[in-house]
Amino acid sequence: MTKPVIRRVDERRRALLRGLTGATALAATGVAPIVRSAPRPQVVIAGGGFAGASCALALRRLAPSIDITLIDRQQRFVTGPFCNTVVCGLNPVERITQTHAALTAAGVQVVHAEIDGVDTTRREARLADGRRIGGDRLVIAPGIGFDWQVIEGYGPEAVDRVPHAWPGGAYQIGLLHDQLRRMPDDGQVVITVPDNPYRCPPGPYERASLIAWFASRHKPNARVLLLDAKDHFSKEPLFRIGWDARYPDRVEWRGRRDGARVVAVDVDARRVTTAGGDEVAADVLNIIPPQRAGRLAADAGLTDTAGWVPVAAHDFSVPGHDGIHVIGDATHAEPMPKSAYAANMQAKICAFALAAELAGETPADTQMINACYSLVAPDYGISVTEVYALNGDSIAAIQQAGGISALAADAATRQAESEYARSWYQNMVHDSFG
């Protein structure tokens, strides 16, 4: 009675190995692999942002013999990277809007539907229309959620008047841009920044920079004030050098030591109260709320006390939940930041591990990288690169393997980095969404 079962398992394993070999051949020769009829493993991916889309596309290329279903409610996905160029009017929102069409063309089954929740025991996604889609593995890529309990007076009902635009889709980003256009020439823009961790650590400071650029051209006496829950921030020396060079006396930053952490918001008055007791009024108020893992992960009970999902770094599986993997911003994967590039890397590690594990193999050790570009101005770019090693089931930064832009650089170098930033974005989008 046991022999047929063993034969079927062996057959599946050989079919998967043929698929993996074929994927390698495809990369080298451009010839499509031949996959013979066999039981096909099923992988379901809940979430179609950078993490989910990258995982689906990478897994399709690595293992053509695996059936992949990606589920996401959005047919059009507005990226967080480069959203600040839309906020300041450099780009239309269409320039940063992606679809899943290339994933469908690659053979991924894409389902656009609202996900009510996930069943981690059955490895299923429950859709709002009553369908359940399950598989041998369930990969959850829920992104971030906002912790609405931290700032008094600021909740989901307030975002139509005081946007977070993080990124919040085309409407949120467009709302913030329209408020900037309508503010007085001597107006004050106040941006509040949460404590770590949150999505895109340098993002608020790029936003302040590009709003200052917008103001220097359209609102000559306007100023930007950052109220930060931290005492230091990503790429701080580079941003400060850029602000001094391009926007002297236009950008002001206050940190935790200044009592600047925002504790309450008066939405109607566009006024905030800080931990230090200051009340600060704004003509344009941009609240970036404290964050935690997205709803799907939280509702499934996968998060820790800090609100993020602990994962095993070799395949981004969730300890104690067999066949469940979580990738992207929702993970507790420090020292990696919560960024699109990091999500793309984590998705590839997960895809590689899934392809190997479903073929009965052990994933090989590897490294990950995070590269992040920011624009201080349209012609002024800065960057940071970090390299990480898998240390058992944890992640460790490799010392002196990365680097940041030179603190002292001429205008030509800064302009070159701004062009690199645009190429970085295009390459990352292509690698993630096809």
Side-chain angles (χ1 to χ4, degrees), residues 167-327:
Y171 175 73
Q172 279 276 304
I173 295 170
L175 178 61
L176 182 56
H177 173 67
D178 288 344
Q179 290 181 355
L180 290 172
R181 287 194 304 107
R182 294 195 303 266
M183 77 173 175
D185 285 352
D186 61 350
Q188 175 163 263
V189 180
V190 175
I191 302 173
T192 76
V193 188
D195 203 352
N196 291 322
Y198 59 92
R199 169 182 281 169
C200 191
Y205 316 101
E206 180 189 66
R207 177 166 293 181
S209 302
L210 291 181
I211 289 176
W213 173 83
F214 169 87
S216 69
R217 281 152 178 76
H218 304 288
K219 308 289 179 178
N221 297 312
R223 301 179 70 255
V224 182
L225 172 63
L226 286 151
L227 298 176
D228 206 330
K230 307 179 296 300
D231 276 333
H232 298 286
F233 56 89
S234 176
K235 303 181 197 169
E236 180 175 356
L238 290 167
F239 276 114
R240 288 187 179 277
I241 289 168
W243 294 340
D244 288 345
R246 292 296 183 94
Y247 316 116
D249 303 321
R250 194 183 288 275
V251 177
E252 180 185 356
W253 174 88
R254 300 178 194 170
R256 179 183 289 270
R257 69 173 69 93
D258 307 308
R261 179 174 61 87
V262 169
V263 296
V265 177
D266 183 332
V267 171
D268 293 331
R270 287 200 179 97
R271 185 185 301 271
V272 299
T273 303
T274 70
D278 293 330
E279 292 195 354
V280 181
D283 295 285
V284 175
L285 181 56
N286 177 210
I287 304 289
I288 303 172
Q291 295 161 31
R292 58 189 180 187
R295 175 184 61 84
L296 288 181
D299 288 354
L302 301 178
T303 54
D304 60 15
T305 56
W308 306 100
V309 183
V311 291
H314 73 278
D315 63 355
F316 283 83
S317 59
V318 182
H321 295 271
D322 186 47
I324 303 298
H325 305 254
V326 177
I327 53 176

Side-chain angles (χ1 to χ4, degrees), residues 44-49 52 70-74 111 113-121 124-128 131 133 138-146 292-304 307-309 318 321 324-327 329-331:
V44 176
I45 302 173
L70 180 139
I71 311 167
D72 192 89
R73 63 182 177 80
Q74 300 180 93
V111 178
E114 191 75 39
I115 306 174
D116 268 354
V118 295
D119 185 329
T120 58
T121 301
E124 288 181 341
R126 302 190 306 271
L127 308 191
R131 285 178 292 170
I133 301 177
L138 175 62
V139 180
I140 308 170
I144 56 124
F146 295 120
R292 58 189 180 187
R295 175 184 61 84
L296 288 181
D299 288 354
L302 301 178
T303 54
D304 60 15
W308 306 100
V309 183
V318 182
H321 295 271
I324 303 298
H325 305 254
V326 177
I327 53 176
D329 293 342
T331 62

Side-chain angles (χ1 to χ4, degrees), residues 3-15 39 358:
K3 288 183 179 179
V5 175
I6 293 171
R7 201 155 38 238
R8 282 197 297 272
V9 172
D10 239 11
E11 187 177 344
R12 173 179 286 192
R13 180 175 176 275
R14 285 195 298 271
L358 288 171

Side-chain angles (χ1 to χ4, degrees), residues 337-356:
K338 300 184 184 302
S339 72
Y341 202 102
N344 172 276
M345 282 281 112
Q346 294 171 14
K348 289 176 180 175
I349 294 294
C350 182
F352 182 78
L354 287 173

Side-chain angles (χ1 to χ4, degrees), residues 42-49 52-53 56 67-76 99-101 103-105 107-116 125-134 296:
Q42 311 284 326
V43 173
V44 176
I45 302 173
D67 284 338
I68 306 162
T69 302
L70 180 139
I71 311 167
D72 192 89
R73 63 182 177 80
Q74 300 180 93
Q75 296 195 31
R76 296 169 63 81
T99 73
H100 299 116
L103 275 71
T104 299
V108 175
Q109 182 181 1
V110 177
V111 178
H112 287 123
E114 191 75 39
I115 306 174
D116 268 354
R126 302 190 306 271
L127 308 191
D129 60 13
R131 285 178 292 170
R132 288 175 174 258
I133 301 177
L296 288 181

